[in-house]
Amino acid sequence: MQDDSLQAAVVGAGTMGTTLAKLMATHGVKVTVVDTNPKVLEASRLSVGESAAVICFTTDLEVAKSADFVIESVTEDVEIKRKVVAQIESEVADTCIIVTNTSGIPIDDIGSAMRVPQRFLGTHFFNPADIIPAVEVVPGSHTEAAVVEKVCGWLKRWGKRPAVLNTCVPGFVANRIQHAVMRECLSLLEKGIVEAEALDDIVQYSIGVRMALNGPLCQRDLNGLDTHLNIAHYLYADLEARQQPAALLEEYVAQGRLGAKAGQGFYQWSDETRTQHQARERENLQRIIEIATQHAGGDKS
């Protein structure tokens, strides 16, 4: 569905900001991308391809004055986000909805300096934002219900599946689950129980393929809650429960093994293998999402 009458601005022209602008432009939204760095803006313009013809790129935040909707998508730093949101609010009308695209920072912390916090909320898009359907919608303590409803309506028209949180917690939902899984994975590696490639195979081709079709709670229903409870009784006490990041992770980061962007993480990466992997991932994600949507069939009732 097209949103031809909607005017939006994205502040921050990094990877997420760029894909957010592409998403909205694809659905007819008049989008402006704002960033203080001209080189970053140019990279964003090149990245969106054909969509660049209908997206405005500028270093001037003042162009957001006429926006109905502004997404802040700068670096994941609470002080920077708070400052940028305050700057946005100083430019836009009081009727403009302001959203922070954060992956886990408490919404009230980011919006603490706002004059009208009732029109402010969080949306956690997942990379690549123009493909992954789910969006965590996170109201702050002052957010009006009508604002949540309006943002969810826009997201649905853009092909997204908004999931509203009842309470804002650090990391929201997805990152809490992801970090819980990674805590156990890193523990298994540190203890020498399994090698990295074997661990990835186990998760990808068992839990992973099932999760594309059923969420964890639906999968437990299908397996039987009594079975899950019986396993939980003997397994929970042996699961990793450390309160600090794994020593292995600290070691890798200290060594500069930051992952694909650095050429090495758990695996070795060249520019070519990284580019090829990311291209295949985008293509196959779309196929997986199509299959998952068809499988869901609308309900479990």
Side-chain angles (χ1 to χ4, degrees):
M1 184 178 293
Q2 298 296 95
D3 266 318
D4 298 335
S5 63
L6 185 64
Q7 295 190 51
V10 178
V11 180
T15 300
M16 290 300 291
T18 298
T19 51
L20 286 171
K22 184 177 181 180
L23 167 71
M24 289 188 284
T26 301
H27 288 86
V29 180
K30 297 178 178 65
V31 187
T32 298
V33 177
V34 183
D35 200 289
T36 57
N37 189 327
K39 291 183 178 180
V40 173
L41 276 175
E42 178 60 15
S44 177
R45 187 185 67 79
L46 293 173
S47 179
V48 298
E50 294 179 358
S51 296
V54 294
I55 300 175
C56 176
F57 296 86
T58 180
T59 58
D60 187 3
L61 182 60
E62 189 176 356
V63 300
K65 282 185 181 296
S66 58
D68 305 299
F69 178 62
V70 179
I71 301 179
E72 168 276 305
S73 190
V74 300
T75 188
E76 193 74 352
D77 179 290
V78 64
E79 294 297 336
I80 294 174
K81 284 184 175 290
R82 184 183 296 128
K83 180 179 178 180
V84 170
V85 166
Q87 290 173 339
I88 292 169
E89 189 175 43
S90 71
E91 295 289 351
V92 302
D94 286 353
T95 54
C96 176
I97 292 175
I98 303 174
V99 169
T100 175
N101 180 42
T102 174
S103 57
I105 300 174
I107 304 307
D108 285 348
D109 289 355
I110 297 173
S112 61
M114 293 185 68
R115 289 184 298 101
V116 190
Q118 294 84 355
R119 42 88 172 267
F120 182 63
L121 77 164
T123 54
H124 179 202
F125 288 82
F126 299 89
N127 190 34
D130 57 330
I131 294 180
I132 303 297
V135 180
E136 291 180 307
V137 178
V138 192
S141 60
H142 301 288
T143 310
E144 292 181 347
V147 170
V148 176
E149 184 178 355
K150 182 173 286 189
V151 170
C152 286
W154 289 334
L155 291 170
K156 289 176 183 177
R157 291 202 293 275
W158 304 339
K160 296 302 179 182
R161 297 178 68 93
V164 181
L165 273 60
N166 296 326
T167 303
C168 179
V169 292
F172 308 150
V173 172
N175 271 329
R176 292 178 77 94
I177 293 171
Q178 182 171 244
H179 278 262
V181 170
M182 276 305 299
R183 179 167 62 180
E184 187 61 33
C185 289
L186 290 166
S187 176
L188 292 167
L189 289 178
E190 284 183 336
K191 293 171 181 176
I193 293 169
V194 66
E195 298 300 324
E197 188 170 356
L199 187 150
D200 272 352
D201 273 353
I202 292 167
V203 174
Q204 182 177 353
Y205 294 106
S206 64
I207 303 167
V209 291
R210 285 190 176 277
M211 288 294 184
L213 302 180
N214 303 306
L217 303 182
C218 177
Q219 190 62 51
R220 293 306 90 187
D221 268 1
L222 293 171
N223 287 0
L225 299 186
D226 53 338
T227 301
H228 184 83
L229 178 60
N230 290 338
I231 295 172
H233 275 306
Y234 73 75
L235 183 59
Y236 276 23
D238 198 54
L239 292 176
E240 183 59 65
R242 74 180 80 188
Q243 301 300 299
Q244 296 297 323
L248 179 65
L249 182 60
E250 298 273 17
E251 178 184 330
Y252 276 19
V253 171
Q255 293 173 355
R257 295 175 60 170
L258 307 181
K261 64 183 178 182
Q264 186 179 17
F266 295 108
Y267 300 94
Q268 297 286 338
W269 298 88
S270 66
D271 289 343
E272 182 180 6
T273 56
R274 180 185 64 201
T275 300
Q276 290 175 346
H277 185 94
Q278 290 173 333
R280 287 196 307 272
E281 183 183 45
R282 282 186 65 90
E283 179 183 345
N284 289 323
L285 276 172
Q286 291 172 319
R287 294 166 61 190
I288 291 168
I289 290 165
E290 182 179 351
I291 292 169
T293 303
Q294 292 172 350
H295 174 79
D299 66 73
K300 305 178 184 72
S301 58

